[in-house]
Amino acid sequence: GCLNDVWEISTEAGHRGRRMWNEATCSGRSPSPRVWYAACHASYGHWLVLGGSEWQFDVPAEAHDFRALYVLELREMNWSMLVNPGPPASPADPDDPPWAVASTL
């Protein structure tokens, strides 16, 4: 199934001169497990995650909001979810947040 874990690599050489990957411990409200999402590093040490899908064909047991924008603040490793702050993005779908249009460009 899908995962929602976060990994980081040490920039210092570890055992036998190799860099090591470690699973990061994060706090806050993380995104649900997903695949096919968009992610990027934004300015000031924030990682943004938008969209995605579950890897399944059945109706999920719990509701998932794949239109929400999640932000990982990298210094504190704390997740938050950006709430739709403005009016609908288009009259075609009033439930779309304003950033949904930009994510498809």
Side-chain angles (χ1 to χ4, degrees):
C2 301
L3 301 173
N4 66 344
D5 49 351
V6 175
W7 290 77
E8 59 189 356
I9 190 168
S10 172
T11 57
E12 300 294 322
H15 180 67
R16 295 186 181 163
R18 297 182 181 161
R19 290 181 166 72
M20 302 298 293
W21 283 98
N22 297 297
E23 187 169 2
T25 302
C26 300
S27 60
R29 183 176 178 182
S30 64
S32 59
R34 56 190 67 203
V35 295
W36 301 321
Y37 55 87
C40 71
H41 179 254
S43 60
Y44 307 111
H46 292 89
W47 186 254
L48 307 177
V49 174
L50 175 69
S53 175
E54 291 185 351
W55 190 273
Q56 63 184 23
F57 298 102
D58 298 328
V59 176
E62 296 180 23
H64 295 273
D65 186 0
F66 294 108
R67 294 176 295 175
L69 178 64
Y70 287 89
V71 180
L72 178 60
E73 193 277 315
L74 297 172
R75 182 172 299 207
E76 299 296 323
M77 298 305 283
N78 184 60
W79 282 105
S80 62
M81 184 177 82
L82 188 60
V83 178
N84 182 358
S90 71
D93 190 352
D95 293 329
D96 276 346
W99 52 81
V101 174
S103 71
T104 61
L105 298 177

